[in-house]
Amino acid sequence: MRLLPAFPFLTQLLFLLPIAAGLFGVLLPALGYLPDLGGDKFHFEVFRQLLEHPALPHAVWLTLFSGIAATFISLSLAIFLATMLSRTSLSGNKNNRMASLFVIVRRGLIPLIAVPHAAMALGLAFLVAPSGWLVRWFSFLLMGWETPPEWVTVQDPFGLSLILGLVLKETPYLLLMILAALPQIRAQEYIRIGQSLGYGNLRSWLKLVLPQVYPLIRLPVFAVLAFSLSVVDVALILGPSTPPTLSVLILRWIDNPDLSFRFLASAGAVLLLLLTLGALLFWRVSEWLLLQKWRNWLSNGKRGNRNEAQKLAALSGLLLLGTAFLSVLGLAFWSLSLRWPYPYVLPQRWTSRNWERHWTSIQETSFTTLELGVIAVLIALILVVGCLENEQWRRVSFSFRSQWLLYLPLLIPQATFLLGIQILAVRLEMDGTFLLLVWSHLLFVLPYIFLTLADPWRNLDTRFPQIGQCLGASPLRVLFRIKLPLLLKPLLVAAAVGFAVSVSQYLPTLFAGGGRFATLTTEAVSYAAGADRRVIGVYGFLQALFPWIALLLALAIPRWRFRNRATLL
Amino acid sequence: MNNIFNYNSATESESMSKTLNFIIFTTLFLLLSSFSVSANSWEDISKKAKGQTVYWNAWGGSEEINSYISWVGTRVKEDYGVTLKHVKLASTADAVSRVLAEKAAGRTTNGSVDLIWINGENFAKMKENGLLFGPFTDNLPNFKLVDFSGKPTTLLDFNLPVEGYEAPWGMAKFNFVFDSARVSETPKSIPELLQWSKRHPGRFTYPHVTDFLGSTFIMQALIELTANPEVLNRSVKSEVEFSKVTAPLWSYLNQLHPLLWRSGNSFPSSSSVQQQMLNDSELDIALSFNPSATSAAIANGSLTESARTFVLKKGTIGNTHFVGIPFNSGSSEGAMIVANFLMSPEAQMEKQNPDIWGDSTVLSITKLSAQQQQKFKALPLGVATLPPEKLGPTQPNPHPDWKNQLSTEWQRRYGQ
């Protein structure tokens, strides 16, 4: 109990140091200061140069458009699906075929969170390319095209395929966040009330549940928005190249052998940060405006039930699921192919060679991935639970400011931010150590765990711990005997999400690990540079498999543990 | 573009004193390094290297290259007791940036990179910023076997003197790849390529200039189109010179781009992606920087069996790729062992085999023993590889200065 205040302090220290280092590492070069490259004076010349860069206006437009559109579509789809997929709707659904369809969509969508963005993007690229899987089947069954059609699908100039790729990944994440938040606001009871007053399922949901659930998922939505604006790997694979999004432009500048481009890259990173903050503000203002507009609608008393909405939700859910499933399946087929040129719909020659050849490397990298993920998740869980407990027992809420601090790593473009951390690590003689590697993963794992766990924790009925206390239990005992068991499911889901985040880290692993630690993701990304779908298939599949298993466990354990306590599920 | 960085905009008096400094420094350095060479006999180096671990940062995008590197690891472990770890990079810049961060933080020993696969501008920039250890190649016994006269790019990397700061380990030569099932006649020159594209719109493209093969293609076109290609071997003198020399290139590209894949509105992000597009039949002609790579790709299944290669009548750009040792490597002896082994006849032969990798040797065959010469000659050529006499003349890579400015200008014209 006395140690509790140490948790937020420790967490903040853990974050403050690298973030300050990271921010300085971006800001100073952006202002022209990087002595090792000959910049020893502060000036705004770099920003002027950035703003005059011919590719910039379009890149900024593209970044904002694709990021905001992807977030908006993902959120709308997630809400739409949630209205149909939440248990509340299922129990009230008389149409059995529809109900079982929804169960399939629900069971299928959630594991998609585990598939790494890059793997999904590569799979999608193969699926929808003009020479891709869909066209090959179409050509095989109907047209017999000798050469692929000259369509512009992947890497289209408007970034539509990029948006689709992001939506495939973010919709399941937001859906999971919504479904996890529903029990806290007792959505089921509201729906029943709504229904008994003659509102249809969808209307009850939108009028009664959504206004309560949205504040709970606002932070995840912000995280999705920030991620979509600064994503690199998906934009590289699916986004246009002339010009690309701002994040890819920054990466090109960092990758430029002319080291003086680091100045421009840093300024670009600062601009991206400002854009992200601007987009978040824009989003928040739009929320408020929408609320003003719809306030009347919420209480206008109009009833009605529309079944088309249900069908539409089922259709969009199935489409989403099908696209994602085929993307992953395509990669799996590639991992088993030796030769697969156009127009073959299936590999021309099959082989197990891709798997055999990498078996030793798979074993080593899998172990490192697992070790790193488990340790990072455990530390993060302890810190997050400590902070949340501190907040509850001492009735101080984690301040707005420190919460933003926590989310900063998710808002700042990784590549430039990590350069500053790297310099700090070298100064502390910590670079290339396992400790630093875990630390760098924590920067990204911890916010996601906090994001996933904070609301269920805060919304746990306070009467449970109160009863425990009244019966004379110490806070620690209350934590272990009442809170943790009650919150087992969100705890495990948070752990699984954190694990998935750890597995997917590429740049932090490379920068902090000093190249000393190879994980499935460092392997996968370096092979992605070679564009060999067969090897990418192997590593992409494994990259998805681990978090998938973690998530399945997170869902199965509570089910087993609470097999006699159905309402806890 | 460059003038904001004050170290580039030195006034004349400054540059005078810089030149003077440079002379004094170089003299001192040569004196010192001649000491170090005598002090570091090969036996000393081998002794120190034993038990060291060498972290070799190298592009990891190719299975073939990765398994070759892991074979090198087994061999140097057997012969010298050096442990080699391949740090697989998606981009060489990641490693350069790590060395830079270490220098910024004052880490002068025990750096995280011991050996780095580089050439061209990465080398120029690392050398310019004092990020490289050396000169060291004179310490390596196998360095003598390199074909300096027949392969001058082993000493001049993109026209920049290597001066012992990186050791050559492979040769590259620009060539075209085509699918013989769909293409019957291949162009013999850059203008003919335009004619071909007019007959087959949308079936050719080149990677974005941020990829080395994309920039090599525009340099290749420039060499053939400009009136006086010799000027490309030195740095760009003035903006006027640049626009005069490159004018024919831009008018060529303006005609070519509407005929490219997606009308030149989009470019493949890398040469690997472009190869995949050839396999996907989205293209009929693609580019390569290794004459045997196509045979190797057919053998391993990543290219269709009907893929073949061709070169241009007047010749194509060739260069050498190297390994360098960062200034702060804690295992520089081990790194030198690896660099030396890479230049050994055994390692070079293994590498040139198209079933393994198919990367051409840097060695002069005539300097080898009769038995080794025999073995080199017995290596299979590969189904799509042109024999040496059909590969045409080799043109030097233009000075990095040209490449940088070409790439900037290209992005200004076509990158938006």
Side-chain angles (χ1 to χ4, degrees), chain B residues 153-373:
Chain B
T153 51
T154 52
L155 291 175
L156 280 175
D157 187 1
F158 281 39
N159 277 302
L160 240 126
V162 169
E163 291 168 342
Y165 281 90
E166 51 176 1
W169 70 299
M171 298 296 294
K173 191 165 163 41
F174 185 78
N175 61 89
F176 293 84
V177 191
F178 69 103
D179 188 343
S180 61
R182 290 193 302 271
V183 178
S184 46
E185 219 171 314
T186 55
K188 304 270 179 300
S189 67
I190 291 291
E192 273 182 40
L193 181 64
L194 179 65
Q195 296 311 314
W196 184 90
S197 301
K198 278 184 186 156
R199 290 193 300 275
H200 309 276
R203 304 301 296 167
F204 168 70
T205 191
Y206 59 95
H208 197 273
V209 285
T210 45
D211 183 75
F212 73 96
L213 207 51
S215 57
T216 307
F217 173 75
I218 57 171
M219 289 192 287
Q220 185 66 62
L222 178 62
I223 290 178
E224 207 168 312
L225 295 169
T226 193
N228 187 9
E230 283 80 55
V231 297
L232 302 175
N233 293 337
R234 53 162 176 77
S235 56
V236 182
K237 273 198 180 136
S238 64
E239 270 179 42
V240 182
E241 183 192 34
F242 181 78
S243 49
K244 209 180 123 198
V245 170
T246 58
L249 174 70
W250 307 122
S251 84
Y252 176 83
L253 290 182
N254 287 342
Q255 291 177 66
L256 181 69
H257 277 194
L259 308 167
L260 294 181
W261 175 75
R262 290 198 184 169
S263 313
N265 287 322
S266 184
F267 293 84
S269 57
S270 73
S271 46
S272 324
V273 171
Q274 202 198 16
Q275 181 182 307
Q276 182 91 65
M277 286 163 61
L278 187 68
N279 195 42
D280 285 342
S281 296
E282 289 205 24
L283 299 176
D284 287 340
I285 294 183
L287 311 172
S288 164
F289 215 169
N290 172 355
S292 344
T294 303
S295 300
I298 294 173
N300 77 36
S302 53
L303 264 184
T304 165
E305 274 153 328
S306 50
R308 293 293 179 270
T309 58
F310 71 91
V311 289
L312 303 175
K313 207 163 58 195
K314 285 188 185 164
T316 52
I317 292 178
N319 69 25
T320 305
H321 45 104
F322 299 82
V323 285
I325 304 174
F327 77 104
N328 61 357
S329 158
S331 306
S332 55
E333 291 84 10
M336 282 192 269
I337 293 286
V338 177
N340 185 56
F341 178 76
L342 288 175
M343 291 185 290
S344 69
E346 179 195 356
Q348 290 283 311
M349 217 176 302
E350 178 89 358
K351 186 162 63 75
Q352 192 166 320
N353 189 337
D355 295 334
I356 309 283
W357 175 1
D359 191 48
S360 312
T361 183
V362 293
L363 302 184
S364 163
I365 304 296
T366 51
K367 290 184 189 170
L368 306 181
S369 72
Q371 204 193 353
Q372 286 166 337
Q373 295 195 18

Side-chain angles (χ1 to χ4, degrees), chain A residues 15-58:
Chain A
F15 269 71
L16 202 63
L17 207 62
I19 286 171
L23 278 180
F24 273 111
V26 180
L27 264 178
L28 294 185
L31 293 171
Y33 187 81
L34 189 57
D36 292 277
L37 288 179
D40 46 14
K41 286 190 204 87
F42 288 95
H43 50 74
F44 286 98
E45 228 9 58
V46 189
F47 277 103
R48 193 186 58 84
Q49 199 192 347
L50 174 74
L51 295 179
E52 281 175 3
H53 194 283
L56 193 79
H58 197 88

Side-chain angles (χ1 to χ4, degrees), chain A residues 58-70 73 152-166 235 238-245, chain B residues 262 265-266:
Chain A
H58 197 88
V60 166
W61 175 85
L62 190 70
T63 305
L64 288 175
F65 172 69
S66 61
I68 293 175
I73 297 172
V152 180
T153 53
V154 177
Q155 299 195 311
D156 59 291
F158 293 102
L160 299 180
S161 47
L162 168 62
I163 293 173
L164 177 63
L166 287 168
L238 297 171
S241 63
T242 46
T245 60
Chain B
R262 290 198 184 169
N265 287 322
S266 184

Side-chain angles (χ1 to χ4, degrees), chain A residues 131 242 257 431 516 531 534, chain B residues 107 112 125 265 276 282 300:
Chain A
S131 58
T242 46
D431 61 315
R516 298 287 199 257
R534 299 167 303 173
Chain B
R107 160 83 56 93
S112 64
K125 286 302 154 186
N265 287 322
Q276 182 91 65
E282 289 205 24
N300 77 36

Side-chain angles (χ1 to χ4, degrees), chain A residues 257 259, chain B residues 22 25-26 29 96 99 103 116 118-135 155-157 159-166 324-327:
Chain A
L259 294 178
Chain B
F22 178 72
F25 186 72
T26 321
F29 201 85
V96 178
V99 178
K103 188 171 187 234
I116 181 168
I118 45 169
N119 78 343
E121 331 123 85
N122 274 315
F123 169 69
K125 286 302 154 186
M126 282 191 86
K127 195 170 166 224
E128 189 181 304
N129 288 285
L131 300 178
L132 286 173
F133 163 87
L155 291 175
L156 280 175
D157 187 1
N159 277 302
L160 240 126
V162 169
E163 291 168 342
Y165 281 90
E166 51 176 1
I325 304 174
F327 77 104

